[in-house]
Amino acid sequence: MEFPDLGKHCSEKTCRQLDFLPLKCDACKQDFCKDHFTYAAHKCPLAFTKDVRVPVCPLCNSPVPVKKGEIPDVVVSAHMDGECRRPPGQETAKVFTFRCSREGCRRREMLRVACEECRGSFCLQHRHPLDHGCARGGRPASSAGFKVKP
C-alpha cells in the first residue's frame, strides 16, 4: 500500500478490480480493466455511436448513410419505404415461369424441362414421354417397370 492513489478500479459492477493500467472506453468514457474494456464485455450503452459500418439496402444494394445516434434498422426501413430505387422489373420477376404443357396440369417449374420427343415443356411429374402421353408416341427410353408381352 505504498501508492494508494495509483491505478483505478474497473467500472464494471461485478469486477471492480484495481488496475494499474486501466483502459478508458472511448464511447462512455469510463475506466475498465483488460477483461472489460471492449464494448461487448461491459455492455456499453453508447457503442452504437462508434459503429462505423454502413448498412446496405437489401432491395437496391446501395449503401444507406446513417448519422451518429441513429439506429441503422430504422434508417434502412425508411429508405426502403421511400427513396429506394429498385431495379426495373424486380417486383414483377417471377421465379416459376415454365408452365407444364400437359392438359389439366397447372404446375410451374424454375427451369424448362423439355421432352425430347415432342419438345413440350413439362413439370417434373410429367417430364417423361409416358407420363404426359407424348404426341409423337416415341418408344420409351427404358422398359423398367413394364411387363414385356411375348
Side-chain angles (χ1 to χ4, degrees):
M1 298 306 290
E2 296 175 17
F3 302 104
D5 296 332
L6 189 62
K8 294 189 178 182
H9 288 277
C10 178
S11 296
E12 179 65 29
K13 294 175 186 171
T14 59
C15 181
R16 304 297 297 163
Q17 176 183 351
L18 179 62
D19 197 341
F20 295 107
L21 295 172
L23 299 164
K24 187 176 287 247
C25 176
D26 60 346
C28 64
K29 307 295 186 215
Q30 293 181 354
D31 295 314
F32 295 97
C33 65
K34 66 178 178 65
D35 297 327
H36 297 109
F37 79 96
T38 61
Y39 299 138
H42 70 270
K43 298 178 183 75
C44 185
L46 301 173
F48 72 93
T49 61
K50 298 295 182 175
D51 191 5
V52 294
R53 293 179 292 170
V54 177
V56 176
C57 176
L59 299 177
C60 64
N61 290 328
S62 63
V64 179
V66 178
K67 296 176 185 169
K68 285 191 176 187
E70 291 182 328
I71 301 171
D73 290 340
V74 174
V75 176
V76 171
S77 179
H79 166 80
M80 289 168 56
D81 292 339
E83 63 208 38
C84 182
R85 304 257 185 241
R86 294 182 182 108
Q90 184 177 7
E91 296 87 11
T92 59
K94 295 180 182 176
V95 176
F96 297 97
T97 56
F98 299 100
R99 188 164 184 237
C100 182
S101 299
R102 181 163 189 239
E103 191 174 327
C105 184
R106 299 180 56 86
R107 290 188 181 179
R108 295 178 181 267
E109 295 295 332
M110 293 172 59
L111 301 172
R112 186 170 191 271
V113 181
C115 174
E116 292 181 6
E117 303 283 330
C118 64
R119 302 287 184 224
S121 178
F122 297 97
C123 66
L124 293 176
Q125 185 177 357
H126 300 118
R127 69 184 182 268
H128 298 294
L130 292 175
D131 293 332
H132 65 263
C134 190
R136 302 267 318 254
R139 189 161 182 257
S142 107
S143 59
F146 291 100
K147 184 176 178 182
V148 178
K149 293 182 182 178

